[in-house]
Amino acid sequence: MKLPIIIFLVAVLVIPLFSYMIADHVKFLQKIFCKIGWHSHQYDIVEIYSDDPYGTATKHQCKWCKKTGLVDSQGNLF
């Protein structure tokens, strides 16, 4: 009875996390993760300086898909 639950958890939780860790080297995975909103790792996001004098709207760019946007409080690009 517990075996289907364990298989489901492995398929849903563990496999995507491991594939996200190797996505730096596989372009196909990068495209998939950027499409669902999991952009490049937080340390890979490039900061783009804007001409905002107060520095409150600094933009960042994903290294994988080159999308530009803001970073939220948890470090995710949106």
Side-chain angles (χ1 to χ4, degrees):
M1 197 73 161
K2 292 184 180 183
L3 187 62
I5 295 171
I6 293 172
I7 293 172
F8 175 76
L9 289 176
V10 167
V12 172
L13 298 175
V14 176
I15 293 173
L17 291 177
F18 282 119
S19 61
Y20 183 69
M21 292 188 321
I22 62 168
D24 285 330
H25 308 290
V26 182
K27 295 277 185 190
F28 177 71
L29 290 175
Q30 291 174 0
K31 289 179 183 180
I32 291 173
F33 285 127
C34 283
K35 191 168 279 252
I36 64 171
W38 291 11
H39 294 281
S40 62
H41 307 290
Q42 185 176 6
Y43 55 85
D44 279 342
I45 293 177
V46 180
E47 188 173 340
I48 300 172
Y49 294 101
S50 63
D51 52 351
D52 182 19
Y54 301 108
T56 57
T58 305
K59 294 193 176 194
H60 296 79
Q61 185 177 31
C62 174
K63 275 192 172 180
W64 295 345
C65 66
K66 306 298 184 211
K67 178 185 174 188
T68 305
L70 299 174
V71 175
D72 64 2
S73 63
Q74 295 181 358
N76 299 321
L77 184 70
F78 68 95

